[in-house]
Amino acid sequence: MYEALSSFAQTGGLVYFVLMFAGALIYALWPSNQDTFDRAAHSPLDDKGPGND
């Protein structure tokens, strides 16, 4: 009984994490999100900030 439950939990956890990883990867690589990520990538290089008006 324990082995069956343990195997089910391990397989279910693996499937869950693979689906979560795939979802995050799809979100990150979705074409409409490119502008948002480009702005976030360049924001540390911006001279405009709260103290530099």
Side-chain angles (χ1 to χ4, degrees):
M1 175 70 181
Y2 174 76
E3 288 89 14
L5 188 58
S6 174
S7 176
F8 176 74
Q10 289 174 0
T11 304
L14 176 65
V15 169
Y16 174 74
F17 283 115
V18 166
L19 289 174
M20 291 296 289
F21 178 77
L25 190 65
I26 289 170
Y27 174 75
L29 297 177
W30 202 259
S32 63
N33 291 335
Q34 183 177 4
D35 188 42
T36 302
F37 289 123
D38 284 342
R39 278 188 278 122
H42 289 94
S43 66
L45 304 175
D46 260 348
D47 286 338
K48 295 181 231 168
N52 298 331
D53 290 333

